[in-house]
Amino acid sequence: MAYLIISFILTAFGQPSWIPGLGVLSAAFGFALFWKGMLAFPKARDRFLLSVIWFASVQGVQLSWLTTMDYMGPLILGLYLILILGMGIQFGLISLLIKESISWRLALAIAGSWVIFEWMRLYFLCGFTWNPSGMALAGSPYSLQFASVWGIFGLSFWVILVNIAALKAWFDNSTKQVAIWAALALFPYLFGIVNQVWVESYFPPAKSLNVALIHTNLSPEQKEYLAESPEAYIPPLQQWEQIVTTLDNREIDLIVMPEVALPLGAHTPCYRLNSVKKYLDEEALPPLQRPFAMFDLGMWKVNNVFLLQALANQYNAHVIAGLDDRDRSGKYNAAFHFYPESLSYERYEKQILVPVGEYVPMRYLEGLSQFIGDQFGIYSSFDPGLEGKIFNAHVPVGISICLEETFTGLIRDLRVRGAELLVNLTNDAWFPNSKLARQHFDHGRVRAAENGAPILRACNSGITGGIDCFGRTVQTLPPTEKRASALFFSIPIRSYPTLYTWWGDGAILGISLSAIGSYFLFRKKKLP
């Protein structure tokens, strides 16, 4: 019982968003302690059920942000239970292979099987990317750099392998097995130290950018008009005023605003020209022509792209901001890039949409989709974008929006396309006062380490800040910040090629499948 309790504490809380120091212990022997206690149960059925309950409880803690019902309603609890139970069943299946005497071939096959299970979650709904076991190694900036070789799934493979090595050392009780376990457990940290020295010696920063990251800090009812709370709504022009007043007259190269930084979309002419002039210099205003303005009912009306282009002109800075947009091709959650003194801009359309939040799932089941839409007040869906995009803002910039940051393949594709700086526009306001914001930020740290490139994150509600190419935090706004504000700092643009960027998840998937195949191909048959 002591093994089960201690292993639960180490594993459930041994992630960067909870207690980072426990991740060192969890990655080294947290799972091994559980398996040691589990083996006290002689029946396979009992071991399976115990494993399901234990790991579902671990995930119950780590995914506790999903129980925040402020905006999701009680249906989110059903999804929460399905997820943690499904992950518990996955763990229960590999735990059936654990025994007191494990060959290294079986150990590799078990680690490989776990990687395949975690990878399969990418195909649940839009893809469930949260909480791979490798996050236990993300608490240390040194062990995190091991992800530059084979990504977060590679870290998960290593965590399971090291824990099986700990179990072998425990049962074999030999100096050799203890030495093997210790070497495996320490290797990611030693790799990180050597990798950091190597990169800092051979890849000096190409340049530094002075950036301003805007943190709008608006709740959903403040940003958009909701019939049930009309008194909370902040008019769009007042929201714009809050953004502009966070900036000052310092030199800025790049201004980044969060996902859906302003309401009413990109091109809706919703502001009277005279009402916006007091927030912007007259000479910074773009020309009164489409797509920036429209003459209607005897007056000029301007839109959000007008405001953002004027901001780029006024500060002589590149501006990247999230806005909804609609045109003949569809309706998009998009990111826009504005050049100073330009009459054109670039747009990236979000490729991976969040079920319920951005589209009504299972639309082919009309009755069910209607029920979900009624429960959450969603009656239209965004269209997904078709490809990644690189913005050229002093350096090539790869854009992701919100959840896309947690998808390894999408961020790697941006690096393959030539991005030297990664930018994420986020809104984590839908799960307030929870661990979501911190877990989302930690996924950004992993993406930086995997691809050897710095990341800037601008959030409406969440953690706004910068991360360097090693996954280390450069600067963030205090988590207690309760008003619109801007984070000003200089970020060095140091990027370097990684093995993960070269071969992606294919490497660890190939290793995992090879380990599983090798075990079944060469395992010894029992004599009758």
Side-chain angles (χ1 to χ4, degrees), residues 42-50 96:
K43 294 182 179 180
R45 181 192 62 186
D46 295 339
R47 293 181 182 182
F48 175 75
L49 291 176
L50 179 64
L96 287 174

Side-chain angles (χ1 to χ4, degrees), residues 480-499:
T480 55
E481 193 67 56
K482 298 299 181 184
R483 58 185 175 83
S485 54
L487 178 63
F488 301 94
F489 64 100
S490 179
I491 186 164
I493 306 300
R494 186 206 306 269
S495 60
Y496 71 98
T498 67
L499 285 172

Side-chain angles (χ1 to χ4, degrees), residues 41-169:
F41 293 77
K43 294 182 179 180
R45 181 192 62 186
D46 295 339
R47 293 181 182 182
F48 175 75
L49 291 176
L50 179 64
S51 300
V52 171
I53 294 170
W54 180 84
F55 196 71
S57 300
V58 167
Q59 294 303 312
V61 170
Q62 295 177 355
L63 295 175
S64 57
W65 54 268
L66 271 171
T67 63
T68 309
M69 295 186 291
D70 299 50
Y71 301 106
M72 295 291 106
L75 283 182
I76 196 67
L77 297 179
L79 176 62
Y80 169 73
L81 293 174
I82 290 171
L83 285 170
I84 63 173
L85 180 60
M87 296 163 82
I89 291 172
Q90 287 183 329
F91 185 76
L93 291 174
I94 72 156
S95 293
L96 287 174
L97 301 174
I98 297 295
K99 49 190 177 181
E100 292 187 7
S101 178
I102 299 179
S103 67
W104 283 110
R105 186 174 284 120
L106 177 57
L108 292 169
I110 293 171
S113 299
W114 186 243
V115 166
I116 299 301
F117 277 145
E118 288 195 339
W119 176 77
M120 287 168 57
R121 297 175 199 163
L122 297 179
Y123 299 92
F124 179 78
L125 292 179
C126 71
F128 192 77
T129 53
W130 303 100
N131 275 11
S133 301
M135 291 299 293
L137 289 171
S140 165
Y142 296 111
S143 56
L144 173 56
Q145 291 176 59
F146 200 27
S148 67
V149 176
W150 51 3
I152 187 63
F153 295 126
L155 297 190
S156 294
F157 182 95
W158 201 259
V159 166
I160 298 300
L161 184 65
V162 168
N163 273 269
I164 294 176
L167 195 65
K168 282 175 64 65

Side-chain angles (χ1 to χ4, degrees), residues 318-329:
H318 292 258
V319 174
I320 296 174
L323 296 170
D324 291 350
D325 198 17
R326 183 192 298 268
D327 57 25
R328 293 180 180 179
S329 64

Side-chain angles (χ1 to χ4, degrees), residues 17-294:
S17 59
W18 291 91
I19 306 174
L22 287 184
V24 177
L25 304 180
S26 175
F29 53 78
F31 291 93
L33 286 175
F34 167 76
W35 287 325
K36 180 68 168 62
M38 177 200 73
L39 290 173
F41 293 77
K43 294 182 179 180
R45 181 192 62 186
D46 295 339
R47 293 181 182 182
F48 175 75
L49 291 176
L50 179 64
S51 300
V52 171
I53 294 170
W54 180 84
F55 196 71
S57 300
V58 167
Q59 294 303 312
V61 170
Q62 295 177 355
L63 295 175
S64 57
W65 54 268
L66 271 171
T67 63
T68 309
M69 295 186 291
D70 299 50
Y71 301 106
M72 295 291 106
L75 283 182
I76 196 67
L77 297 179
L79 176 62
Y80 169 73
L81 293 174
I82 290 171
L83 285 170
I84 63 173
L85 180 60
M87 296 163 82
I89 291 172
Q90 287 183 329
F91 185 76
L93 291 174
I94 72 156
S95 293
L96 287 174
L97 301 174
I98 297 295
K99 49 190 177 181
E100 292 187 7
S101 178
I102 299 179
S103 67
W104 283 110
R105 186 174 284 120
L106 177 57
L108 292 169
I110 293 171
S113 299
W114 186 243
V115 166
I116 299 301
F117 277 145
E118 288 195 339
W119 176 77
M120 287 168 57
R121 297 175 199 163
L122 297 179
Y123 299 92
F124 179 78
L125 292 179
C126 71
F128 192 77
T129 53
W130 303 100
N131 275 11
S133 301
M135 291 299 293
L137 289 171
S140 165
Y142 296 111
S143 56
L144 173 56
Q145 291 176 59
F146 200 27
S148 67
V149 176
W150 51 3
I152 187 63
F153 295 126
L155 297 190
S156 294
F157 182 95
W158 201 259
V159 166
I160 298 300
L161 184 65
V162 168
N163 273 269
I164 294 176
L167 195 65
K168 282 175 64 65
W170 199 322
F171 284 116
D172 291 358
N173 196 26
S174 69
T175 303
K176 177 183 176 181
Q177 289 295 347
V178 171
I180 292 173
W181 164 73
L184 291 173
L186 291 174
F187 183 78
Y189 304 92
L190 298 176
F191 173 88
I193 294 171
V194 173
N195 185 67
Q196 183 174 321
V197 171
W198 172 70
V199 171
E200 290 177 341
S201 300
Y202 291 97
F203 296 93
K207 62 173 69 177
S208 291
L209 293 182
N210 296 321
V211 300
L213 307 182
I214 307 298
H215 186 84
T216 48
N217 199 37
L218 295 170
S219 64
E221 60 268 23
Q222 290 175 319
K223 180 175 283 291
E224 302 284 350
Y225 181 84
L226 301 177
E228 57 268 26
S229 53
E231 72 286 347
Y233 179 59
I234 298 176
L237 196 59
Q238 191 175 337
Q239 294 185 36
W240 170 252
E241 179 183 13
Q242 291 179 358
I243 290 173
V244 173
T245 53
T246 64
L247 298 169
D248 55 27
N249 293 320
R250 67 181 75 193
E251 182 179 343
I252 304 173
D253 298 312
L254 176 62
I255 300 172
V256 185
M257 298 188 192
E259 178 185 17
V260 192
L262 291 160
L264 302 179
H267 294 99
T268 304
C270 51
Y271 311 105
R272 294 181 179 182
L273 177 62
N274 290 334
S275 66
V276 304
K277 284 184 176 180
K278 62 181 178 180
Y279 303 114
L280 298 161
D281 295 341
E282 187 81 27
E283 60 273 16
L285 301 180
L288 296 175
Q289 63 185 45
R290 292 183 181 275
F292 301 111
M294 184 176 71

